[in-house]
Amino acid sequence: MSRRTDDAPMTHDMTGGSRPQGGRGRRGLVSAAPDALAPTVTTSRFDVGHGYALYQGPSWDSGFHRHAAFQIVVAVEGEAAMVDASEVCHRAVALVVPPMVRHRMRATTDLRIFFVEPQCAFADRLRERCGSGISAAPELRERGEDDVRLAGARPSRELDPRLLAAMDALADGPVSMQDLARRVDVSPQRLRGLARSQLGMPLTRWRVWGQLRRTVEALRAGRSLAEAAAVSGFADQAHLTRWMREMMGLTPAVVLPVLRPSLPEGDVDRDRTSDR
């Protein structure tokens, strides 16, 4: 089990994100903590592969959020820490969070974080070992990107093939539920039921996760935040910001310098205006 502590909760703003207290946190994936808590690691890495994404670097206290993927959080040194919806803090060398479990990160100097998408074979392993909430997973501490990449490239053997086909179709772009059900030869009602029973979330949530993945790819390719929001299917940059905050606990302008570390400070600041 993860070690639970009764750490006092931090202050949150009304949007669900944490209030900045001190520096801008350009090098982390979440909102900045006070300077006294700021991690000393200055380089971060963020990669997206088939069935997974990987972030390595520092983290700061984030807002509460819920992923559409499994999250594996490994402390490079010491312990990782996160808070669940009941404000209980969990600490361990490695933690796993199932999809749709509300949580927030605590400040840690150096983490390795995998987002494992539920349609891949690696997710099958996590479904076997995970409960309904945050759990310690010390056996995953030595897992590397190669381990996740190989299993992430293979489809799940546990999910219904029709559900897998629907998830693949949504990953390519927006599709109505009627058209989606027709493509996989099942009724819309049955398709919704499969998603809720096997994924634990509606397919609309998975669709937004796919949009966020496309946003990351567009930003990495050099698009501005406004352009990335448009090509990913969001109504505007503010719409993108709301969903990224809800599903990842961070904002696009904080992700941007991690994806493009050579980006001048002024270019990031110009894109922050819709990040509120």
Side-chain angles (χ1 to χ4, degrees):
M1 295 178 62
S2 57
R3 185 158 59 85
R4 296 151 66 96
T5 62
D6 294 324
D7 294 357
M10 69 175 294
T11 302
H12 296 284
D13 64 25
M14 295 304 292
T15 63
S18 55
R19 292 179 185 169
Q21 304 178 52
R24 289 179 177 170
R26 271 186 51 109
R27 296 187 176 93
L29 270 185
V30 289
S31 303
D35 289 342
L37 297 178
T40 57
V41 175
T42 58
T43 58
S44 300
R45 175 187 170 211
F46 190 80
D47 289 323
V48 177
H50 189 79
Y52 78 97
L54 166 65
Y55 167 73
Q56 181 157 344
S59 74
W60 286 264
D61 289 313
S62 75
F64 276 105
H65 56 283
R66 298 182 298 170
H67 304 294
F70 287 91
Q71 184 182 28
I72 303 172
V73 180
V74 178
V76 176
E77 296 182 359
E79 293 182 322
M82 62 176 65
V83 179
D84 64 25
S86 298
E87 294 286 358
V88 173
C89 184
H90 300 255
R91 298 179 184 274
V93 294
L95 295 164
V96 177
V97 188
M100 298 301 291
V101 171
R102 188 171 170 81
H103 65 285
R104 64 179 174 87
M105 301 292 297
R106 297 301 301 269
T108 307
T109 301
D110 196 4
L111 293 175
R112 185 165 64 251
I113 301 175
F114 293 99
F115 299 98
V116 180
E117 296 179 349
Q119 83 284 8
C120 73
F122 198 89
D124 289 344
R125 304 179 194 175
L126 297 176
R127 272 186 283 269
E128 290 176 359
R129 73 158 321 282
C130 284
S132 59
I134 300 169
S135 59
E139 72 278 9
L140 296 178
R141 185 174 193 177
E142 302 306 320
R143 289 286 182 178
E145 186 175 2
D146 288 343
D147 299 314
V148 179
R149 182 189 296 112
L150 292 172
R154 300 195 306 272
S156 165
R157 293 187 175 185
E158 294 184 357
L159 300 185
D160 190 293
R162 296 167 296 181
L163 180 57
L164 288 175
M167 295 172 74
D168 286 343
L170 284 173
D172 294 332
V175 184
S176 72
M177 180 58 72
Q178 292 291 338
D179 288 342
L180 189 61
R182 191 178 302 113
R183 288 190 192 185
V184 300
D185 195 26
V186 68
S187 71
Q189 294 78 9
R190 177 58 176 156
L191 185 56
R192 291 189 184 96
L194 285 172
R196 290 189 179 279
S197 65
Q198 297 189 14
L199 296 178
M201 63 181 169
L203 281 172
T204 51
R205 193 87 179 184
W206 173 252
R207 174 179 55 79
V208 175
W209 184 260
Q211 289 177 253
L212 291 174
R213 169 185 270 273
R214 292 195 293 276
T215 297
V216 168
E217 292 168 348
L219 291 174
R220 189 190 296 279
R223 303 272 193 141
S224 70
L225 290 179
E227 290 172 335
V231 300
S232 302
F234 292 101
D236 52 32
Q237 189 175 327
H239 187 211
L240 163 63
T241 297
R242 286 194 298 272
W243 270 111
M244 185 170 283
R245 207 181 249 132
E246 160 64 18
M247 297 189 78
M248 301 189 76
L250 49 93
T251 67
V254 179
V255 173
L256 186 58
V258 180
L259 296 172
R260 302 211 305 266
S262 61
L263 191 70
E265 177 88 18
D267 288 356
V268 175
D269 290 341
R270 280 195 294 273
D271 274 327
R272 286 183 184 271
T273 55
S274 296
D275 242 18
R276 303 183 179 92

